[in-house]
Amino acid sequence: MSQGKYDFGLIGLGVMGKNFILNVADHGFSAIGYDLDQGKVDALKNESTTGRATATTDKLEFIRSLETPRKIMFLVPSGAPVDNVIEDLMPFLDNGDLLIDGGNSYFMDTERRMTKLRNSGINFLGLGISGGAKGARKGPSMMAGGDQETYDIIGSILEAVSEKVNSEPCVARVGNNSAGHYVKMVHNGIEYGLMQLIAETYDLAQYGLGYSNEQMAELFEGFNQGKLKSYLIEITADIFTKKDDLTPGELIDHISDRAKQKGTGKWISQNAMDIGIPIPAIDSSVSMRVLSSFKEEREKAALVYPKSQSDPSRFSAADLEAALYFSFIVTFAQGMRQLLEASSKYQYDLDLAEIAKIWRGGCIIRAELLEHIRKAFDNVDNREHLLFDAYISDEIKGLLPSVNKVISVAHNAGIAVSGMSASLNYFNAFRSERLPLNLIQAQRDYFGGHTYERLDRPGVFHTEWEED
Ligand code: 6PG
């Protein structure tokens, strides 16, 4: 702090905001928070033990006490609240001040806001932040989008507060314009995909292998010692050990199976369709959350179509681990492929190796696998698709027998494994030199004269399919 002015300002002192500002203060920067809620302001002041973080409900005090160029982050719900905060601040800002949207904003909104603010002389960064409340407090992973000069205004603070892996900060300017929020959207799509796959594994272990919650915890703990080592597997093992406060047994058995969502998973699927990239493993995870909400219909259908009681031929825990690992790889591959396309489509100029690098720590999808993904995209000879990487393709080939076994047993037993099936189907289509979609071209030409191309000669053709 120079002459009593603060290095950093943060608007929105919810759990994420409060934790982030405390983290900034822990790293030697002075910071002031702003929120209209006096309770939240008091909570921050009480928890600030460094003496470097404070807060106010007075907007003018907040703005005037910031060092210029002002560095103001906001962590407010996406959509209209972000526009409102910007509108509210604009009359008090000076040329060169920096606004940072640290929420889960839709990337097209970020694009619009950037264009508008650029014309007003205000710098703007769209910053995807991952890691939940604990990450914000102890070290999140952060994906910034915008100009390099704009990033440099705040880079040292972001790098200080971020998680580190092998002393490397889990934050980077990932690309131009709205790239930060785009990359965070893809992160969340992968997050949805991995969570769905883990849920399917739970179903398979419960109904296929007859595991208790205790065995389930051991199973996931075991997975976390191997190639599946990741944050989501780690917390899953932990979840199965949690006792219920209200009734005997474990809490997991009392939680409703209607999964909620805030929308970022839906955005990635919508955008994947828009830019023409197939991500069925991620799409299916969004659909399954939606299907889970149709509880009454599912209950009715369960009576109409009871599942067979016949004992399915079993698979081992090792098969299950292989099927999950295979599906993790394919889900990451789909997300990375979408990033590659978006990089050229939106002129983001993304470095996929750098993105994998900053996802290795601090974020929800952090996983050992990301080190291999980083290496794969670091290789100049293959930046096309993760599945072409030599290490990954060796892994995939070794996993296939188990994947096929687990999925066919699941289908026979009536266990829904939409994420795993979507991963395997994507893989099988991806490795098919010839797909049966020549027939679709013929049908399109038959009923609509939409034309087709031939394999044996160039050009566009149309056939009169019916005799008259
Ligand atoms: C993160 C998470 C986080 C997200 C929650 C809830 O990276 O810390 O992605 O940003 O908001 O996971 O998302 P849903 O409500 O859509 O499941």
Side-chain angles (χ1 to χ4, degrees):
M1 202 190 331
S2 71
Q3 296 151 358
K5 300 250 177 179
Y6 292 91
D7 302 320
F8 179 78
L10 194 143
I11 298 177
L13 298 177
V15 182
M16 287 291 286
K18 182 182 71 178
N19 283 359
F20 196 91
I21 202 166
L22 290 171
N23 186 358
V24 169
D26 280 350
H27 286 86
F29 300 97
S30 59
I32 180 164
Y34 167 64
D35 201 295
L36 289 175
D37 183 334
Q38 185 67 51
K40 288 180 180 163
V41 165
D42 293 342
L44 174 70
K45 284 178 164 174
N46 290 338
E47 284 183 48
S48 170
T49 49
T50 58
R52 284 188 289 271
T54 189
T56 176
T57 54
D58 181 340
K59 184 172 62 192
L60 285 183
E61 182 195 342
F62 171 75
I63 290 169
R64 286 183 187 142
S65 56
L66 283 166
E67 184 69 68
T68 54
R70 297 180 185 87
K71 303 170 215 31
I72 303 175
M73 179 187 284
F74 31 88
L75 280 166
V76 297
S78 60
V82 175
D83 290 312
N84 295 342
V85 167
I86 296 173
E87 284 304 310
D88 210 30
L89 286 174
M90 281 305 280
F92 307 100
L93 298 178
D94 295 314
N95 258 3
D97 283 352
L98 169 62
L99 297 182
I100 306 154
D101 176 7
N104 274 337
S105 286
Y106 182 51
F107 75 99
M108 287 292 190
D109 286 341
T110 303
E111 202 71 32
R112 166 177 59 76
R113 289 170 190 140
M114 268 184 172
T115 311
K116 194 173 165 195
L117 287 167
R118 202 173 280 136
N119 297 333
S120 320
I122 304 298
N123 291 305
F124 189 64
L125 276 186
L127 184 73
I129 304 182
S130 178
K134 199 168 166 195
R137 183 71 186 88
K138 293 287 173 198
S141 171
M142 290 174 283
M143 300 134 246
D147 304 335
Q148 184 65 49
E149 307 76 60
T150 307
Y151 177 79
D152 290 342
I153 301 171
I154 190 75
S156 58
I157 296 183
L158 296 181
E159 281 154 31
V161 303
S162 74
E163 177 66 328
K164 314 285 178 308
V165 172
N166 305 331
S167 310
E168 294 175 305
C170 294
V171 59
R173 173 191 167 264
V174 292
N176 304 318
N177 304 321
S178 56
H181 281 140
Y182 192 94
V183 173
K184 179 61 176 28
M185 175 183 79
V186 172
H187 167 284
N188 281 29
I190 295 172
E191 173 185 305
Y192 273 49
L194 304 184
M195 289 168 79
Q196 172 62 27
L197 292 167
I198 294 171
E200 289 171 16
T201 306
Y202 160 46
D203 217 12
L204 287 162
Q206 195 169 28
Y207 296 109
L209 300 176
Y211 275 26
S212 65
N213 289 332
E214 195 183 334
Q215 288 172 304
M216 212 72 79
E218 282 166 19
L219 180 76
F220 283 101
E221 261 165 40
F223 288 178
N224 205 39
Q225 309 297 316
K227 291 181 176 172
L228 278 165
K229 187 171 169 50
S230 55
Y231 173 70
L232 284 169
I233 296 284
E234 182 193 321
I235 64 166
T236 302
D238 214 26
I239 284 168
F240 287 110
T241 65
K242 189 76 179 171
K243 297 284 176 215
D244 187 21
D245 285 343
L246 305 173
T247 60
E250 288 81 34
L251 176 59
I252 186 71
D253 295 329
H254 301 286
I255 296 180
S256 160
D257 59 351
R258 299 175 201 249
K260 301 279 165 47
Q261 53 180 320
K262 295 206 188 83
T264 43
K266 185 181 75 178
W267 292 340
I268 182 178
S269 286
Q270 287 172 328
N271 178 257
M273 292 284 174
D274 286 344
I275 66 173
I277 293 297
I279 54 160
I282 295 172
D283 295 338
S284 73
S285 68
V286 182
S287 296
M288 288 305 287
R289 288 206 192 183
V290 179
L291 182 54
S292 80
S293 68
F294 289 83
K295 181 79 170 170
E296 287 76 23
E297 283 177 46
R298 288 192 285 117
E299 281 168 350
K300 202 168 154 189
L303 296 175
V304 181
Y305 302 108
K307 289 184 186 176
S308 130
Q309 293 302 306
S310 66
D311 187 24
S313 62
R314 296 281 166 95
F315 43 80
S316 66
D319 290 325
L320 206 48
E321 182 175 13
L324 184 58
Y325 184 46
F326 169 89
S327 307
F328 262 39
I329 294 174
V330 175
T331 300
F332 270 107
Q334 291 178 9
M336 299 312 275
R337 183 64 187 84
Q338 181 160 345
L339 286 178
L340 190 68
E341 187 69 15
S343 183
S344 59
K345 170 101 187 153
Y346 303 119
Q347 288 93 47
Y348 285 150
D349 197 18
L350 302 176
D351 176 344
L352 269 54
E354 178 79 0
I355 292 168
K357 188 178 116 184
I358 64 168
W359 282 351
R360 290 175 309 166
C363 66
I364 304 297
I365 64 170
R366 61 187 185 259
E368 288 276 299
L369 178 57
L370 277 158
E371 180 56 21
H372 296 293
I373 298 177
R374 183 187 72 77
K375 285 186 185 142
F377 287 106
D378 223 9
N379 177 0
V380 278
D381 297 330
N382 166 40
R383 286 182 174 155
E384 207 180 337
H385 202 296
L386 182 62
L387 295 180
F388 291 140
D389 177 68
Y391 172 85
I392 294 288
S393 58
D394 277 351
E395 292 286 83
I396 290 278
K397 285 175 198 163
L399 297 166
L400 271 177
S402 293
V403 180
N404 285 319
K405 193 199 298 180
V406 169
I407 291 177
S408 66
V409 170
H411 285 170
N412 282 332
I415 300 173
V417 284
S418 76
M420 285 188 187
S421 303
S423 302
L424 182 59
N425 284 329
Y426 172 89
F427 172 75
N428 280 331
F430 184 70
R431 66 166 167 166
S432 297
E433 190 191 342
R434 182 123 202 227
L435 286 168
L437 277 76
N438 48 333
L439 180 58
I440 291 177
Q441 282 298 79
Q443 290 166 332
R444 292 177 67 247
D445 192 53
Y446 190 116
F447 63 65
H450 295 297
T451 74
Y452 57 88
E453 291 165 332
R454 294 180 58 97
L455 293 171
D456 57 353
R457 63 199 70 198
V460 173
F461 297 86
H462 168 64
T463 295
E464 288 304 323
W465 294 89
E466 287 172 291
E467 285 303 309
D468 38 283

